[in-house]
Amino acid sequence: MAKPQHSWGLAGPDAPPSPRTMRTLRKIQSHQVLSSSGAVNTSTATTQPSQPPTFTLNPGDSSGNAATRARAHRRPRSNSDAVARETVATSPAPTQRRPARKTGSGVGLKRSMLESLLRDGPQNGKTAESLQELKYLVLSSRVDADGDGMSPYRIYLWLVLLEIPPLSTDDYLALIHRGGSPAYTKIRNDTFRTLATDPLFKRRVTEASLIRLLNAVAWKLHDSKPKPRSRPSSSRRREMEMLVNTPPSIAEEPEIGEQSSVSDSAIYVQGMNVLCAPFLYAARSEVEAFALFHYFVTRECPGYIRGAMDGVHKGLRLVDQCLEIVEPKLAAYLFSKGMHAELYAFPSVLTLCACTPPLPEVLHLWDFLFAYGPHLNILCIVAQLIRMRDTLLESPSPNKILRSFPPLDAKEIIALTVLLAQKVPDDLYAEMVSHAK
C-alpha cells in the first residue's frame, strides 16, 4: 500500500536535514515497521473484515446521519468536561476564520490534522489509505486533550481504529432491563474497588454506570454460550444401556465439562472492571463504552476473560521471553531472584496497563495500542521494566520495587516500544499477535 506523501518543509534539495526533520522521518519509519509487522503477522492469526467501515462519529445512532448529529449534539457528563463544553459553545461558525488560540485546559480551537481527518472521513473513498494515515497521525502526534485527558473526539477515534459499527441504544437498554445477570454478585463485589484512588475517574464515572455496563456484557456473553445438552435420568440411562448391552459411551463425559463451563466465572472474571474503566471514562455515553468493551473482550482478547485466563498466562510468558531477548542482563537478574512476570505483571497484562496511573497517560497509550494492535501491550510492559533497569539491578530485593510500577509516561513508553518491536523475532511476534485469542 502506497503511503501518503507529505511535504516536510526542507529549505532546498541540498539543505542538511534538521533535527526536527530527522525526528519526523524516524516516526514515518516506525509507522511503516509497525504497519508491516502487524500486516504480516496478523494475517496468520486473525481474519480481517472484508469491507472496512466508513468513519462514523456516533455509535449509538443507527441512522446514516450519525456524523451530523455528533457535531450538533454534545452531551456533557461531568464537571471535568466543563471547559470542553465552554469551548464548543464559543467556537466560531464553520464559515468564519479566527486565529487559533489555546483555552485554559490546553485544547486548541483549531482542529488538529488528526481531528480533521477523523471528522472529514476518507477522501475519494480511499478508506484503507485514510486508516493508514490516521494510524500514522496517532503515532506522530498526541490526541488533543485537556488536563484530565478528556478529548471530544478520542472515543470516535477508537471506534474507527477498531472498526466497530454503530449500535442501537435500544439494544443496550434491552440488556439493562433484563436485570441482574448470573455474574451480578461478582460484579457488585468488584466495582467499588475500580480505580478507587483515582479522583479523575471517580468524578466522571459512577459505580452504577460501571455495574450496568459490566452486567450488560455479562448477559451478552451468557447468551452467546452454547446451551448444554440435556442428559437422560440415571434410571432411563440404565435401561438404555441394558437394551443395547454396551458400556456407557466415553463421548458423553465431556458434557459434564460443558455444563460447568457455563458459569458466572466464564462470563465475568475479576479484573474486567478495571479493563472496562477507561472505556467508560473516555466515552460520551454508556452505549459507546458498551460497544467498545464488548467488542474488545470478544474479538481482541477473548482469552483474557475465559475462566482459566489462559490468554493472560500466555502474555506473562511472552513478557519474560521478550525481556530475555531485548534486555538479557536484566532478565537474568530478575530470574535469579525468582521474579518472573507472573508475579508482578498479571494486572498490567490483563488490563492493558490501565492499572497503572495516571489515567490520562493510559488513554494516550491506548490510542497507540488500538492503532497498531493491543498485542503491543506486552512490549509496553517490557519497556516499563527497561526504564526501571538501573533501579532494579541495584536493588537486592527487586520484588519490592515491582509491587507497583512508576507512573506511566506514555510518550516515552511508546517510543521505546517501537524500537523493541524491531528486535523481536518474527515467530515470537506472531505469538504476541495471537496470544489473547
Side-chain angles (χ1 to χ4, degrees), residues 142 357-358 361 364-365 387 406-414:
R142 193 180 183 118
E361 293 298 305
H364 181 36
L365 184 64
R387 298 186 73 229
L408 282 180
D409 185 336
K411 182 178 179 180
E412 296 297 326
I413 292 172
I414 291 172

Side-chain angles (χ1 to χ4, degrees), residues 211-326:
I211 293 172
R212 284 193 298 268
L213 194 150
L214 290 171
N215 191 69
V217 170
W219 272 126
K220 287 283 288 185
L221 296 176
H222 178 271
D223 294 345
S224 65
K225 289 188 171 298
K227 304 301 181 183
R229 292 172 293 176
S230 60
R231 303 181 64 182
S233 63
S234 58
S235 59
R236 178 59 178 164
R237 182 177 177 181
R238 285 194 296 269
E239 293 175 2
M240 295 172 61
E241 292 171 2
M242 293 176 63
L243 180 63
V244 298
N245 196 25
T246 56
S249 172
I250 298 177
E252 293 178 355
E253 297 304 319
E255 290 184 1
I256 301 176
E258 290 174 5
Q259 291 178 342
S260 62
S261 66
V262 184
S263 61
D264 51 2
S265 64
I267 62 177
Y268 176 81
V269 295
Q270 190 173 24
M272 285 176 65
N273 56 316
V274 179
L275 183 61
C276 174
F279 290 114
L280 265 176
Y281 184 81
R284 303 178 72 83
S285 73
E286 285 184 27
V287 181
E288 292 172 339
F290 170 81
L292 278 162
F293 183 64
H294 178 258
Y295 170 89
F296 195 77
V297 298
T298 55
R299 297 289 297 277
E300 294 292 343
C301 60
Y304 284 8
I305 65 169
R306 282 193 283 267
M309 294 186 175
D310 54 322
V312 179
H313 293 289
K314 290 179 183 178
L316 293 170
R317 290 192 292 271
L318 287 169
V319 171
D320 285 335
Q321 294 174 20
C322 292
L323 182 63
E324 196 169 14
I325 290 174
V326 302

Side-chain angles (χ1 to χ4, degrees), residues 99-119:
R101 62 184 178 87
K102 296 290 183 177
T103 65
S105 62
V107 180
L109 290 176
K110 183 179 180 180
R111 289 182 187 175
S112 65
M113 292 180 62
L114 182 62
E115 183 181 4
S116 295
L117 178 60
L118 184 65
R119 287 180 174 272

Side-chain angles (χ1 to χ4, degrees), residues 41-303:
N41 293 285
T42 305
S43 62
T44 62
T46 60
T47 303
Q48 295 294 333
S50 57
Q51 295 182 349
T54 57
F55 292 1
T56 303
L57 292 185
N58 190 355
D61 190 348
S62 57
S63 66
N65 200 26
T68 304
R69 293 188 181 184
R71 287 192 291 267
H73 177 65
R74 300 174 180 268
R75 184 176 69 87
R77 295 195 58 211
S78 74
N79 292 334
S80 63
D81 212 350
V83 178
R85 294 201 303 273
E86 294 174 2
T87 300
V88 173
T90 58
S91 59
T95 57
Q96 296 177 344
R97 296 286 182 179
R98 184 177 297 181
R101 62 184 178 87
K102 296 290 183 177
T103 65
S105 62
V107 180
L109 290 176
K110 183 179 180 180
R111 289 182 187 175
S112 65
M113 292 180 62
L114 182 62
E115 183 181 4
S116 295
L117 178 60
L118 184 65
R119 287 180 174 272
D120 297 339
Q123 299 296 324
N124 301 322
K126 297 180 179 180
T127 305
E129 291 84 349
S130 295
L131 280 173
Q132 287 298 317
E133 178 71 5
L134 199 64
K135 292 178 180 180
Y136 164 72
L137 290 174
V138 169
L139 179 64
S140 61
S141 60
R142 193 180 183 118
V143 172
D144 288 336
D146 60 21
D148 293 348
M150 299 309 303
S151 168
Y153 65 91
R154 168 176 273 130
I155 193 67
Y156 306 118
L157 173 67
W158 290 0
L159 290 165
V160 169
L161 292 174
L162 294 177
E163 300 184 0
I164 300 176
L167 174 70
S168 172
T169 302
D170 291 340
D171 294 342
Y172 178 67
L173 292 177
L175 294 170
I176 299 299
H177 293 157
R178 289 173 64 176
S181 69
Y184 181 75
T185 302
K186 285 192 173 184
I187 292 172
R188 288 299 303 269
N189 289 337
D190 283 347
T191 51
F192 74 94
R193 292 191 292 260
T194 305
L195 304 185
T197 60
D198 193 318
L200 296 179
F201 179 77
K202 289 298 182 182
R203 185 173 62 188
R204 180 170 177 83
V205 180
T206 65
E207 184 182 1
S209 64
L210 188 60
I211 293 172
R212 284 193 298 268
L213 194 150
L214 290 171
N215 191 69
V217 170
W219 272 126
K220 287 283 288 185
L221 296 176
H222 178 271
D223 294 345
S224 65
K225 289 188 171 298
K227 304 301 181 183
R229 292 172 293 176
S230 60
R231 303 181 64 182
S233 63
S234 58
S235 59
R236 178 59 178 164
R237 182 177 177 181
R238 285 194 296 269
E239 293 175 2
M240 295 172 61
E241 292 171 2
M242 293 176 63
L243 180 63
V244 298
N245 196 25
T246 56
S249 172
I250 298 177
E252 293 178 355
E253 297 304 319
E255 290 184 1
I256 301 176
E258 290 174 5
Q259 291 178 342
S260 62
S261 66
V262 184
S263 61
D264 51 2
S265 64
I267 62 177
Y268 176 81
V269 295
Q270 190 173 24
M272 285 176 65
N273 56 316
V274 179
L275 183 61
C276 174
F279 290 114
L280 265 176
Y281 184 81
R284 303 178 72 83
S285 73
E286 285 184 27
V287 181
E288 292 172 339
F290 170 81
L292 278 162
F293 183 64
H294 178 258
Y295 170 89
F296 195 77
V297 298
T298 55
R299 297 289 297 277
E300 294 292 343
C301 60

